[in-house]
Amino acid sequence: MKRRLGRSLKPFRRPGLWAGLWCAAVSAVVVLSLAPPPPMPPVDGGDKFGHFIAYFVLAAGAVQLYARWPSLLGAGIGLVLMGVGLEYAQGALTETRQMERADALANTLGVAAGLAVRLTPWRDALLRLERGRARDA
């Protein structure tokens, strides 16, 4: 029996590319969460939307990558734990950031909404895009 590398991933032509881009996006969120914040005008609670969108995109990206529910669920749990852990790290490890429970909640809600993409026709958008590009080439 031949074992396929990345059995949890959908049958992409270039699974390493897509998984690598997703990992780069996760890494970018980590770095941006711990780096000093860019100068922005103060907006009460305005950053919560940004937290929600960032984690929505990461979770929806996981939906695009993973074919099997256990793998997708693991990615979702990992993203929630990452969001909570980064909030804690902001308070404990940085002097330019502070821990906010509302940010952790926005992160978690973003993950839940992103995982819900699995229930829509958009769940295989990346797979269809890759296959469509392959036909065009």
Side-chain angles (χ1 to χ4, degrees):
M1 177 167 87
K2 182 180 175 185
R3 297 191 69 127
R4 182 174 69 103
L5 182 65
R7 294 179 333 173
S8 298
L9 298 178
K10 292 180 181 177
F12 294 110
R13 288 185 48 208
R14 292 168 275 168
L17 170 67
W18 302 121
L21 288 173
W22 185 73
C23 289
V26 170
S27 298
V29 168
V30 171
V31 168
L32 292 172
S33 295
L34 297 176
M40 294 175 42
V43 178
D44 287 339
D47 70 323
K48 306 308 176 257
F49 183 70
H51 283 265
F52 178 88
I53 292 298
Y55 282 81
F56 171 84
V57 168
L58 292 178
V63 168
Q64 297 304 310
L65 288 176
Y66 292 108
R68 300 171 53 195
W69 175 243
S71 301
L72 182 56
L73 183 60
I77 291 169
L79 289 172
V80 168
L81 293 174
M82 181 181 90
V84 171
L86 284 172
E87 284 303 317
Y88 178 78
Q90 284 178 348
L93 303 176
T94 72
E95 294 186 17
T96 58
R97 300 276 188 157
Q98 61 186 18
M99 179 177 73
E100 290 189 44
R101 289 183 181 154
D103 287 349
L105 177 61
N107 298 344
T108 301
L109 293 174
V111 170
L115 291 178
V117 170
R118 184 173 191 264
L119 305 173
T120 73
W122 289 93
R123 71 183 163 269
D124 292 324
L126 184 58
L127 193 59
R128 286 193 301 270
L129 174 73
E130 186 187 59
R131 288 182 177 164
R133 299 249 177 191
R135 278 193 304 262
D136 294 341

